[in-house]
Amino acid sequence: QVQLVESGGGLVQSGGSLRLSCAVSGLTFSLYDMSWYRQAPGKEREWVASLASSGTSTNYPDSVKGRFTVSRDNAKNTSYLQMNNLKPEDTALYYCNVHYSWLNYWGQGTQVTVSS
């Protein structure tokens, strides 16, 4: 059974930092590309970071570029999202996603709240 479990969310002041983790089990993690998404109340789910299975290629939207860093440890089957200089508009439920060919799996999300 495939499981993705996010952790590390919480309440932080504007300008602060958080590191989210995504622990993956039930699949060969090293084969899968990795992405992080977020969804704020009343808004559509938004992509915030991607990382190739090799760990050598990353992409970010302009909204988080320079503030967020995605990484992975294939030996630990875990991905990380380091978030710095957080802003109130970063408040959302953050999800990790793994995908390989037609296979696509999601975690349940971890809440990040940034106070002004």
Side-chain angles (χ1 to χ4, degrees):
Q1 181 182 1
V2 176
Q3 285 192 316
L4 283 71
V5 180
E6 301 96 336
S7 61
L11 174 64
V12 63
Q13 288 188 333
S14 182
S17 298
L18 283 174
R19 189 177 81 152
L20 307 183
S21 299
C22 176
V24 181
S25 61
L27 51 77
T28 305
F29 180 61
S30 60
L31 294 178
Y32 284 71
D33 296 329
M34 187 79 211
S35 294
W36 286 85
Y37 290 78
R38 66 186 181 188
Q39 188 166 20
K43 295 188 176 181
E44 293 187 353
R45 191 169 294 190
E46 175 191 19
W47 163 69
V48 296
S50 288
L51 176 61
S53 58
S54 63
T56 59
S57 176
T58 59
N59 283 290
Y60 308 91
D62 289 343
S63 58
V64 307
K65 193 174 294 183
R67 300 188 298 123
F68 288 13
T69 302
V70 61
S71 62
R72 65 191 294 159
D73 185 338
N74 285 344
K76 294 183 178 180
N77 287 358
T78 301
S79 174
Y80 305 96
L81 184 67
Q82 177 67 43
M83 306 185 295
N84 298 327
N85 190 22
L86 284 162
K87 305 175 182 180
E89 51 264 41
D90 294 319
T91 295
L93 189 61
Y94 282 71
Y95 299 88
C96 61
N97 167 270
V98 294
H99 42 282
Y100 173 69
S101 185
W102 66 89
L103 300 171
N104 194 18
Y105 300 101
W106 294 87
Q108 293 298 306
T110 185
Q111 178 67 38
V112 172
T113 303
V114 184
S115 63
S116 57

